[in-house]
Amino acid sequence: MSRVRLVPIVLIAIVALAVLFGGWQAYQHFNLLGPLKKNLQQVEGVQTVDILTGSPDVVQVQLGPFSKLKNGDLQQTYDDITSQVSSKLGTGVTLQLSDDRSGTLAQALENFNPVLLEGVTKGNYTEMISQVTHMAKSQGINCRVTMDTQYIYIQLAKGGHYLYKVMPYSTHQGGAAS
């Protein structure tokens, strides 16, 4: 009668799991994350990229000033970034944009929030953009607000500082229908 030796079986299982885990990590680094990071750093306006794997994956992107963005437009730069990220990592990835904001710009954005939210709620998009642009101009802030079907893109700059905000919005209101 043969005896099953437990220690060699456990050691073989541990070595096999270590090899599989190491192979997965190498695959992720060399075939997914490395090329994604390289591609993102080639997008106009991107200064640095940091990718944190987990649940969910987080892609942190440091953007440069307006003049460095694709055509000076946050929306075009953001579209390029999201298309690169979704092609490599799929959906469910958290994208975090970093900028060089000052207290003045952060306060201005906070002051613009009621106008932005009211514009989205009422559907007065052109009026909302006009009001935010006028408010920014009165404070000596360079402002650009654009939209697509999912997001409002806000760019603010004053002095050497700049702030970027991508706000999701939905035109579909919840509630009961009769």
Side-chain angles (χ1 to χ4, degrees):
M1 179 176 239
S2 68
R3 284 179 71 175
V4 176
R5 296 184 184 232
L6 191 58
V7 173
I9 291 174
V10 170
L11 285 176
I12 290 171
I14 290 172
V15 169
L17 287 174
V19 168
L20 288 173
F21 182 74
W24 173 249
Q25 291 298 319
Y27 169 77
Q28 262 195 323
H29 179 72
F30 293 111
N31 289 338
L32 289 176
L33 304 181
L36 174 60
K37 189 172 184 177
K38 183 179 177 184
N39 289 346
L40 287 175
Q41 289 174 331
Q42 293 175 352
V43 172
E44 288 181 69
V46 172
Q47 291 183 328
T48 61
V49 177
D50 193 21
I51 303 172
L52 308 170
T53 57
S55 184
D57 292 333
V58 177
V59 178
Q60 298 172 333
V61 178
Q62 171 74 36
L63 295 176
F66 287 16
S67 61
K68 302 288 184 186
L69 299 179
K70 184 175 184 178
N71 299 321
D73 185 28
L74 175 61
Q75 181 176 349
Q76 291 180 28
T77 302
Y78 189 81
D79 287 344
D80 286 353
I81 292 168
T82 55
S83 69
Q84 292 286 339
V85 170
S86 64
S87 72
K88 285 287 188 184
L89 300 178
T91 58
V93 177
T94 302
L95 180 59
Q96 296 175 346
L97 298 180
S98 299
D99 49 37
D100 183 22
R101 61 183 63 194
S102 66
T104 303
L105 294 176
Q107 184 62 47
L109 180 63
E110 191 174 312
N111 294 339
F112 301 159
N113 261 342
V115 175
L116 293 165
L117 295 174
E118 181 181 30
V120 168
T121 302
K122 291 184 176 181
N124 297 337
Y125 303 118
T126 54
E127 184 180 327
M128 169 192 71
I129 292 170
S130 175
Q131 282 183 313
V132 169
T133 304
H134 177 73
M135 290 171 67
K137 190 175 182 178
S138 70
Q139 297 176 32
I141 297 173
N142 184 10
C143 175
R144 181 174 182 160
V145 179
T146 58
M147 298 175 66
D148 62 16
T149 58
Q150 294 178 313
Y151 301 105
I152 301 170
Y153 303 89
I154 303 153
Q155 300 172 232
L156 304 175
K158 184 172 185 177
H161 298 283
Y162 51 93
L163 179 147
Y164 300 121
K165 178 74 174 174
V166 179
M167 290 180 54
Y169 73 94
S170 174
T171 56
H172 304 291
Q173 299 294 324
S178 57

